[in-house]
Amino acid sequence: MITKAKSRPERAKARDWHQARSGVALSRERIAAAALALVDREGLAGLSTRRLGEELGCEAMSIYYHFPSKAHLMDAVVDLMLTEAGVAMAEEWGWLERLRRAAHGFRAMALKHPKFFPFFAVHRLNTLAGVGYIDSIIGILRDAGFSDRDAARYFREIGYYLTGAALDETAGYANGPSAAEPVSDETIATDFPNLAAAAPYFHPEQFEATFETGLEILLEGIRRAHEAER
């Protein structure tokens, strides 16, 4: 893993050595994309400078020129995820539709990168890209006429829903630890009729409908509160 920060002369030497050897110029964007692709395939445990160098066709030391520590690299991957999530900015859609599209973009990003999303979910979005993303979502609410207090409150409520839903779909309940002696399907069918009746709707093919229902309930609640306030 990336553990040592190199000085600027050392990083420049690594850059020059790599380009002279391979003729291929590295960039922050290319390295971050390769890191995300590697995590997509092998999980976070598979991310190391050695493996990343193999993916890029360079020595691991070449990566230090662009990212002096693992934290810098992970920040860049988080920023790449945010770019994929995007924020709907077309004002003709209206504030509700812009929030809806931003929510869809966030979920699509999480489902595309399920092995990285648990890290993303607890990463503080305090890079420039992260702060810009937060500012854009809050801006949708403020542009709609919400007070600063309500814009902050609804931003966090939307975040609770999206992060929780995405964590559940990518790394949540179905993938969590199990009891040593789980209750059998037969026992559930005979002794727990409510759960047995609902069980088919817990399957992954129901996730999208469940997400959409929850999102619309949330957005409708925000809309009604806004109308009452006005």
Side-chain angles (χ1 to χ4, degrees), residues 76-91:
V77 178
V78 168
D79 287 352
L80 181 57
M81 294 273 281
L82 288 169
T83 298
E84 293 189 7
V87 177
M89 297 304 295
E91 295 183 2

Side-chain angles (χ1 to χ4, degrees), residues 84 133 135 161 166-167 199 212:
E84 293 189 7
Y133 182 86
D135 185 77
Y161 179 72
L167 277 174
E212 293 296 341

Side-chain angles (χ1 to χ4, degrees), residues 151-198:
R153 182 171 295 167
Y154 293 137
F155 166 79
R156 289 187 62 81
E157 289 175 357
I158 292 168
Y160 293 159
Y161 179 72
L162 294 180
T163 302
L167 277 174
D168 184 70
E169 291 191 50
T170 59
Y173 184 79
N175 298 316
S178 178
E181 297 182 12
V183 177
S184 69
D185 292 341
E186 292 76 14
T187 299
I188 292 175
T190 57
D191 297 347
F192 302 94
N194 297 316
L195 176 56

